[in-house]
Each structure stands twice: as C-alpha cells, then as structure tokens.
C-alpha cells in the first residue's frame, strides 16, 4: 500500500507543477478551473489504467517463476527510476516563464499538457501492474490525488506564482528514484 501512495503522490506532484505554472497566468479562478482539475485526474486515471493492464498482460504472457519474478521486479524498478530520473532532469532544467495573463483556464492547451504527463502515468501503471499492486487502490489514489493536486496547483500558482514547481517535480522524481532503488535492493 505504501508503494501505491508514493507512486500516486509522485504523479500528483508532477501534475501540481504544471498546474501551478498555468495558474500563475490566470486572472481569476472559476468553474473551468474545477473542470480542468477533474480532467487532469481523469486523463491520468485512464493512462494509469492502460499501463496497469499492460503490466498485468506482460505477467500473463510469461510463466512467473521465482527467477522470472526477480526480473519482473527489476523491470518495475527500472521503470520507476527512469520516470523519476526524467522528472529530476525536468526539475533542474532552466525554464523561462512568459507573462501572458489568461482570463480563464485554456482547456485545450492544458489538455495537451496533461497528455504529456499521461505518458508518465502509463509507465508507472505498467510498473504497478508488474508488481501486482491492488488495482482499485492504485487507480483511486491516482485519480484522487491528481485531481486534488491539479486544483491546488492552479490556486497556488494564482496566489504565489510558479515558485514551487521545480521543487514539486524534483520531490516527485526523488520519490520514484528511491522507490525504484528500493525494489532493486529488496
């Protein structure tokens, strides 16, 4: 259960980072902000579900022996660490912020940004499927945390600007790297 929370929290922190960048440009928060927060959660839920299914499909294609189970854990750990490393690189990359005020959330642009995060959710879903984590708990935590953190990101970005985006993405990457390494050790 702890792995589920860590993976879901890492996804949600990545969502927070992008939503806070977008929220820094908002003039006002309205119902479109709430709608977009729910869409972030739904899109990550769909990608995580597809990844989980792919991970479980990979397990059914192989006869799982104790030796194969070791390599399954290695593959899951490598996937977690790879996504974490990508997030760490993203956190430390220099970004330029454009001061372009938006009257309301640009749903089309934010959906495209969400699709970029869906690839991370897909890979993390594969890792969870390979680790045979409980699907219901994983999917509920992905949806709930992503939607909540997207809303918090918009509000936080609107109030404070995009000052915490790199830290949030860096923390998410660190959590995934540590979890991936722990899977290799255990």
């Amino acid at each position: 259960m702890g792995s589920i929370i860590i993976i879901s929290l890492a996804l949600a922190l990545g969502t927070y980072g992008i939503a806070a960048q977008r929220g820094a440009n908002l003039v006002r928060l309205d119902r479109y902000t709430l709608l977009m927060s729910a869409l972030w959660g739904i899109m990550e839920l769909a990608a995580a579900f597809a990844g989980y299914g792919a991970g479980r499909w990979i397990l059914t294609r192989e006869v799982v022996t104790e030796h194969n189970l070791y390599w399954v854990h290695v593959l899951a750990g490598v996937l977690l660490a790879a996504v974490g490393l990508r997030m760490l690189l993203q956190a430390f990359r220099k970004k330029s912020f454009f001061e372009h005020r938006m009257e309301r959330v640009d749903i089309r642009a934010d959906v495209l940004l969400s699709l970029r995060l869906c690839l991370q959710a897909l890979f993390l879903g594969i890792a969870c499927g390979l680790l045979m984590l409980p699907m219901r708990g994983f999917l509920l935590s992905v949806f709930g945390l992503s939607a909540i953190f997207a809303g918090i990101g918009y509000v936080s970005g609107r109030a404070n600007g995009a000052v915490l985006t790199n830290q949030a993405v860096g923390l998410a990457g660190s959590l995934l790297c540590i979890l991936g390494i722990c899977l290799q050790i255990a």
Side-chain angles (χ1 to χ4, degrees):
M1 187 65 172
S3 298
I4 292 173
I5 298 299
I6 292 172
I7 292 169
S8 300
L9 182 63
L11 272 173
L13 285 170
T15 302
Y16 168 85
I18 291 180
Q21 287 176 357
R22 299 295 291 167
N25 296 330
L26 285 176
V27 172
R28 63 186 167 98
L29 300 172
D30 57 5
R31 62 186 163 101
Y32 292 108
T33 309
L34 183 63
L35 173 67
M36 192 58 223
S37 297
L39 281 174
W40 283 92
I42 290 168
M43 292 176 74
E44 287 202 12
L45 172 70
F49 181 71
Y52 191 91
R56 293 306 295 252
W57 180 78
I58 290 169
L59 286 178
T60 60
R61 303 295 296 165
E62 291 290 324
V63 176
V64 180
T65 63
E66 189 173 317
H67 179 71
N68 288 349
L69 192 59
Y70 169 77
W71 289 108
V72 166
H73 279 264
V74 168
L75 177 60
V78 167
L79 280 171
L80 291 171
V83 172
L85 184 62
R86 184 186 180 286
M87 290 176 108
L88 280 171
L89 292 173
Q90 181 184 1
F92 291 113
R93 187 179 62 202
K94 182 152 175 67
K95 294 181 182 75
S96 58
F97 294 104
F98 298 106
E99 186 64 32
H100 172 70
R101 302 306 273 171
M102 299 182 304
E103 205 47 49
R104 65 175 50 132
V105 173
D106 183 4
I107 292 185
R108 186 175 305 140
D110 287 6
V111 164
L112 291 176
L113 286 171
S114 178
L115 287 175
R116 190 177 85 193
L117 283 179
C118 285
L119 189 59
Q120 293 173 352
L122 179 75
F123 286 132
L124 294 177
I126 291 171
C128 288
L130 290 173
L131 294 172
M132 294 183 280
L133 296 176
M135 181 175 73
R136 185 179 310 150
F138 171 64
L139 295 178
L140 286 174
S141 64
V142 164
F143 171 73
L145 287 176
S146 292
I148 289 168
F149 274 64
I152 291 171
Y154 282 121
V155 172
S156 171
R158 171 71 178 94
N160 304 322
V163 294
L164 297 176
T165 58
N166 287 346
Q167 291 88 342
V169 174
L171 177 61
S174 299
L175 287 172
L176 289 175
C177 286
I178 290 169
L179 184 61
I181 291 169
C182 287
L183 280 175
Q184 304 308 315
I185 294 171

